[in-house]
């Protein structure tokens, strides 16, 4: 089946070549980091997590969101999603791969990564995150690939696949919950110490992940002449609308508790995020995210703009960018400002850090391109 | 008399309950702070802020510590590695500071170091057990096991942990051969001079202090100097409300 990824037109090959170049640049930057240490990034004593962990958090959400098409299809027999579940599963595969790579490039001693397995630590949430992420990755590879194989051979998927799908559904929720627990269990960081974090993560993930999925489907329709159908697109758009509304609601609930509760330790982080310490990349991107999320919300709750593809695309892009900022830099960095010693440090990623980040994204997008290419070839073959 | 129902309940609890309790303790890190063994010391430090401030600009303890432990000097706040250092009273005890506290107190230097918590959040979150708590209460680092994920730095409420963002060796003024240097990519911090305690010596900072501001001793010893100070003078700890049970105490 994989050989189907080797047959493509020149646009396909140009795209693959472009991704390979990006991976190469990222790899060179990573070799520098390997030699010189994490000091080549913008991170430092006070702000000790940055762009890598930000992308990790966002991508775990994208991975979890695959369940938004898998669940209706398998649990509710919602046939409209029949053509799209595999794309959801493969999106999860690519996203988990990137998430794990982002953890890896964030390590100071990457050669010792297997110490996590050699010295299992049940009281560390990071240990559990590794377990659920690995399981989710393996399950989605098996489920996606075996289903596709069955389609290719024009037979029903094997029965043993069903239980795996049923396990993968709660597991999708668990990967993002456990990822939220990494942060929300720290008494030292009041910005993250909120029981609402896991639900907020899930809501924003179920808005942004499916938004990426629709964009992918639109791209596939343009370039691969493969259409998932108007009904599926609109159903996913509706799911996004609900998730987005819940996400905004959760955000406002958090804002209320923090500012009305008025505990200085909680308030300070939000004040710095919104600009008390002066303008910075952090505050500007936070405001961009806030504006975009409301634009997206207005475009999505209005049936006219949601049902018109021209405006829907803008709404989806706004959701993706807003959530990427909100769950990324706007989430990780303010946790460290002010520091436990009241220090107001600044963070901006360095060029090397950005190249490594682009490199990791390119690996994931390359995976996604190949997996989607194979899937589309097989699905189109079935139709003809 | 116990009826059948109660008997079954009890049986279920003893079969499921006990392991469930221990699983719960392990997951929440309760097992980290185990009971003290008979005859084990529990090390603690008392810092007298007034005495410390009596010698303005003094860095004796910091220099002593950093030179014997091969702590690099990076001269920029981003890469800085610190085991013991000072910050102002209003930064260290923000909840005790208000505008009517005298300027003299507010700007008083406060010596800070790892608190060697009884419930160390850093130990709880470490995914490789590279940082661990000994039975005498000292929170230690295994520099050879640390993968450099910096989860402990995010978890420490005291900013006590430093990461080696670069190779530290070129930045060590004079390498002491009898103490290990660290490599890039690992976390480090104060160890209460466990290598000196093993030889029956006091921590280097305590020994270097000429104002007698630092007292080190055993909390399990009822007549120890630290116990006497804590019993006789009002004292505070940093962010005690977090339940970490810090073992560095401050006399105001």
């Amino acid at each position: 089946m994989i050989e189907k990824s080797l047959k493509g037109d020149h646009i396909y090959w140009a795209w693959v070549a472009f991704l390979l170049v990006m991976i190469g640049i990222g790899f060179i930057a990573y070799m520098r980091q390997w030699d010189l240490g994490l000091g080549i990034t913008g991170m430092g004593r006070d702000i000790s997590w940055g762009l890598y962990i930000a992308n990790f958090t966002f991508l775990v959400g994208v991975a979890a969101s695959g369940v938004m098409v898998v669940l209706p299809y398998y649990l509710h027999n919602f046939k409209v999603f029949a053509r799209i579940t595999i794309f959801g599963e493969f999106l999860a595969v690519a996203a988990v791969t990137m998430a794990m790579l982002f953890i890896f490039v964030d390590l100071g001693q990457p050669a010792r990564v297997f110490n996590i397995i050699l010295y299992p630590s049940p009281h560390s949430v990071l240990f559990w995150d590794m377990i659920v992420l690995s399981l989710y990755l393996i399950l989605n590879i098996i489920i996606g690939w075996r289903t596709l194989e069955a389609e290719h051979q024009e037979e029903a998927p094997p029965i043993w696949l069903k239980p795996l799908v049923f396990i993968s559904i709660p597991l999708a929720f668990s990967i993002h919950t456990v990822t939220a627990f990494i942060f929300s269990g720290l008494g030292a960081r009041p910005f993250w110490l909120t029981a609402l974090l896991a639900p907020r993560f899930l809501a924003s993930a179920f808005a942004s992940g499916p938004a990426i999925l629709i964009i992918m489907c639109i791209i596939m329709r343009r370039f691969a002449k493969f259409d998932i159908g108007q009904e599926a697109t609109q159903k996913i758009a509706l799911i996004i609308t609900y998730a987005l509304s819940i996400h905004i609601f959760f955000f406002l609930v958090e804002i209320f508790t923090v500012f009305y509760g008025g505990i200085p330790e909680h308030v300070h982080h939000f004040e710095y995020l919104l600009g008390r310490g002066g303008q910075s990349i952090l505050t500007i991107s936070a405001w961009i995210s806030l504006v975009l999320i409301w634009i997206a919300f207005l475009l999505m709750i209005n049936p006219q703009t949601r049902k018109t593809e021209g405006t829907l695309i803008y709404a989806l892009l706004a959701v993706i960018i807003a959530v990427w900022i909100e769950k990324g830099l706007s989430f990780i960095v303010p946790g460290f400002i002010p520091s436990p010693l009241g220090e107001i440090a600044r963070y901006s990623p360095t060029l090397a850090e950005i190249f490594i980040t682009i490199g990791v994204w390119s690996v994931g997008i390359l995976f996604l391109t190949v997996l989607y290419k194979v899937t589309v070839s097989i699905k189109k073959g079935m139709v003809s | 008399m116990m009826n059948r129902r109660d008997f079954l309940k009890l049986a279920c609890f003893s079969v499921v309950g006990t392991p469930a309790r221990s699983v719960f303790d392990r997951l929440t890190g309760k097992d980290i702070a185990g009971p003290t063994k008979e005859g084990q010391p529990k090390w603690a430090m008392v810092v007298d802020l007034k005495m410390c401030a009596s010698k303005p600009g003094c860095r004796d303890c910091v220099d002593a510590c950093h030179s014997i432990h091969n702590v690099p000097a990076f001269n920029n706040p981003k890469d800085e590695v610190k085991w013991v250092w000072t910050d102002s009273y209003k930064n260290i005890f923000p909840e005790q500071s208000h505008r009517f506290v005298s300027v003299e107190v507010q700007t008083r230097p406060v010596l800070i170091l790892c608190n060697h918590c009884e419930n160390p959040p850093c130990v709880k979150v470490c995914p490789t057990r590279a940082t661990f708590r000994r039975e005498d209460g000292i929170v230690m680092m295994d520099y050879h096991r640390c993968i450099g994920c910096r989860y402990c730095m995010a978890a420490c409420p005291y900013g006590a942990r430093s990461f080696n963002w670069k190779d530290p060796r070129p930045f060590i003024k004079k390498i002491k051969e009898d103490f290990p240097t660290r490599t890039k990519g690992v976390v480090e911090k104060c160890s209460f001079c466990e290598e000196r305690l093993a030889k029956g010596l006091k921590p280097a900072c305590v020994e270097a202090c000429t104002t007698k501001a630092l007292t080190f001793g055993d909390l399990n010893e009822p007549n120890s100097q630290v116990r006497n100070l804590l019993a006789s003078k009002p004292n505070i700890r940093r962010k005690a409300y977090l339940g970490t049970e810090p073992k560095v105490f401050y006399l105001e």
Side-chain angles (χ1 to χ4, degrees), chain A residues 39 106 109 112 124 182 265, chain B residues 125 146 150-151 165 184 241:
Chain A
D106 190 62
Q109 284 288 335
R112 297 179 188 169
S124 174
I182 290 178
E265 279 198 341
Chain B
V125 301
C146 175
R150 310 186 299 294
Y151 197 5
W165 297 98
K184 69 169 188 285
Y241 56 86

Side-chain angles (χ1 to χ4, degrees), chain A residues 34-35 38-39 41 43-45 48-49 106 108-109 112 115 119-124 182 187-189 265 340-341, chain B residues 26 78 124-129 143-151 153-155 157 159 162 165 184 238 241:
Chain A
W34 184 287
D35 278 344
L38 283 161
T41 69
M43 293 183 277
R45 193 179 198 288
S48 46
W49 280 342
D106 190 62
Q109 284 288 335
R112 297 179 188 169
N115 281 3
Y119 308 102
S121 318
H123 43 64
S124 174
I182 290 178
R189 309 282 171 182
E265 279 198 341
L341 298 169
Chain B
R26 298 200 109 200
K78 187 174 156 307
K124 186 158 70 179
V125 301
C126 178
T128 63
R129 287 179 274 149
Y143 304 121
H144 300 278
R145 192 188 281 189
C146 175
I147 57 172
C149 69
R150 310 186 299 294
Y151 197 5
M153 292 175 78
S162 305
W165 297 98
K184 69 169 188 285
R238 295 172 66 194
Y241 56 86

Side-chain angles (χ1 to χ4, degrees), chain A residues 219-262:
Chain A
I219 293 172
M220 284 194 287
R221 201 181 60 212
R222 291 260 159 93
F223 290 97
K225 313 267 177 307
F226 177 81
D227 196 357
I228 59 156
Q230 190 61 22
E231 201 191 346
T233 311
Q234 278 307 313
K235 276 286 179 256
I236 300 174
L238 201 62
I239 292 174
I240 296 171
T241 311
Y242 275 103
L244 184 63
S245 313
I246 298 170
H247 165 61
I248 292 175
F249 170 67
F250 282 170
F251 178 75
L252 294 174
V253 167
E254 185 80 59
I255 290 286
F256 168 80
T257 309
V258 166
F259 284 96
Y260 194 83

Side-chain angles (χ1 to χ4, degrees), chain A residues 200-320:
Chain A
R200 254 177 76 194
F201 269 18
L202 285 167
S204 62
F206 295 156
S208 59
I212 294 177
L213 197 58
I214 297 187
I215 299 277
M216 291 296 163
C217 291
I218 291 173
I219 293 172
M220 284 194 287
R221 201 181 60 212
R222 291 260 159 93
F223 290 97
K225 313 267 177 307
F226 177 81
D227 196 357
I228 59 156
Q230 190 61 22
E231 201 191 346
T233 311
Q234 278 307 313
K235 276 286 179 256
I236 300 174
L238 201 62
I239 292 174
I240 296 171
T241 311
Y242 275 103
L244 184 63
S245 313
I246 298 170
H247 165 61
I248 292 175
F249 170 67
F250 282 170
F251 178 75
L252 294 174
V253 167
E254 185 80 59
I255 290 286
F256 168 80
T257 309
V258 166
F259 284 96
Y260 194 83
I263 299 174
E265 279 198 341
H266 294 231
V267 175
H268 284 162
H269 294 283
F270 276 92
E271 284 184 345
Y272 282 104
L273 173 64
L274 300 175
R276 187 176 125 174
Q279 294 300 315
S280 64
I281 294 181
L282 183 69
T283 58
I284 293 165
S285 58
W287 282 105
I288 292 174
S289 156
L290 276 178
V291 171
L292 283 179
I293 207 86
W294 284 102
I295 292 176
F297 178 67
L298 294 176
L299 289 175
M300 293 300 280
I301 52 160
N302 182 349
Q304 246 111 49
T305 43
R306 187 176 66 239
K307 285 176 181 157
T308 317
E309 199 177 283
T311 40
L312 177 66
I313 291 178
Y314 287 110
L316 297 175
L317 289 175
V319 171
I320 296 166

Side-chain angles (χ1 to χ4, degrees), chain A residues 43-354:
Chain A
M43 293 183 277
R45 193 179 198 288
D46 289 318
I47 298 171
S48 46
W49 280 342
L51 196 58
Y52 301 150
I53 298 296
N55 279 290
F56 156 77
T57 314
F58 174 76
L59 285 164
V60 173
V62 174
S65 76
V67 79
M68 284 290 104
V69 286
V70 171
L71 190 150
Y73 177 67
Y74 283 101
L75 290 190
H76 301 282
N77 204 18
F78 187 62
K79 291 277 191 274
V80 179
F81 285 170
R83 276 165 81 80
I84 201 174
T85 45
I86 280 194
F87 293 106
E89 283 150 1
F90 283 161
L91 179 63
V93 169
V96 178
T97 309
M98 286 187 268
M100 289 175 120
L101 273 176
F102 271 117
I103 289 284
F104 182 79
V105 298
D106 190 62
L107 295 181
Q109 284 288 335
R112 297 179 188 169
V113 63
F114 288 111
N115 281 3
I116 302 184
I117 298 160
L118 289 174
Y119 308 102
S121 318
H123 43 64
S124 174
V125 184
L126 211 52
F127 166 75
W128 291 107
D129 210 32
M130 184 220 45
I131 289 184
V132 288
L133 282 174
S134 314
L135 269 178
Y136 189 65
L137 177 64
I138 294 166
L139 278 188
N140 273 294
I141 292 175
I142 295 173
I143 295 166
W145 197 253
R146 196 61 196 84
T147 312
L148 196 60
E149 223 164 43
E151 272 186 35
H152 188 38
Q153 286 148 7
E154 295 180 35
E155 58 185 28
I159 326 162
W160 54 262
L161 220 50
K162 265 281 170 74
L164 293 190
V165 173
F166 291 145
I167 297 170
S168 84
I169 290 171
L171 206 56
F173 289 87
S174 82
I175 59 166
H176 217 22
T177 305
V178 175
T179 301
F181 285 176
I182 290 178
F183 304 99
S184 67
L186 302 181
R189 309 282 171 182
F191 186 69
W192 300 332
L193 187 73
T194 162
L196 196 55
L197 198 64
R200 254 177 76 194
F201 269 18
L202 285 167
S204 62
F206 295 156
S208 59
I212 294 177
L213 197 58
I214 297 187
I215 299 277
M216 291 296 163
C217 291
I218 291 173
I219 293 172
M220 284 194 287
R221 201 181 60 212
R222 291 260 159 93
F223 290 97
K225 313 267 177 307
F226 177 81
D227 196 357
I228 59 156
Q230 190 61 22
E231 201 191 346
T233 311
Q234 278 307 313
K235 276 286 179 256
I236 300 174
L238 201 62
I239 292 174
I240 296 171
T241 311
Y242 275 103
L244 184 63
S245 313
I246 298 170
H247 165 61
I248 292 175
F249 170 67
F250 282 170
F251 178 75
L252 294 174
V253 167
E254 185 80 59
I255 290 286
F256 168 80
T257 309
V258 166
F259 284 96
Y260 194 83
I263 299 174
E265 279 198 341
H266 294 231
V267 175
H268 284 162
H269 294 283
F270 276 92
E271 284 184 345
Y272 282 104
L273 173 64
L274 300 175
R276 187 176 125 174
Q279 294 300 315
S280 64
I281 294 181
L282 183 69
T283 58
I284 293 165
S285 58
W287 282 105
I288 292 174
S289 156
L290 276 178
V291 171
L292 283 179
I293 207 86
W294 284 102
I295 292 176
F297 178 67
L298 294 176
L299 289 175
M300 293 300 280
I301 52 160
N302 182 349
Q304 246 111 49
T305 43
R306 187 176 66 239
K307 285 176 181 157
T308 317
E309 199 177 283
T311 40
L312 177 66
I313 291 178
Y314 287 110
L316 297 175
L317 289 175
V319 171
I320 296 166
I321 296 167
V323 172
W324 181 74
I325 294 172
E326 205 243 67
K327 235 171 165 168
L329 285 187
S330 282
F331 172 72
I332 300 298
V333 179
F336 296 100
I337 309 174
S339 80
L341 298 169
E343 212 67 56
I344 312 294
R346 285 277 174 110
Y347 168 79
S348 47
T350 60
L351 212 55
E353 202 174 356
I354 292 169

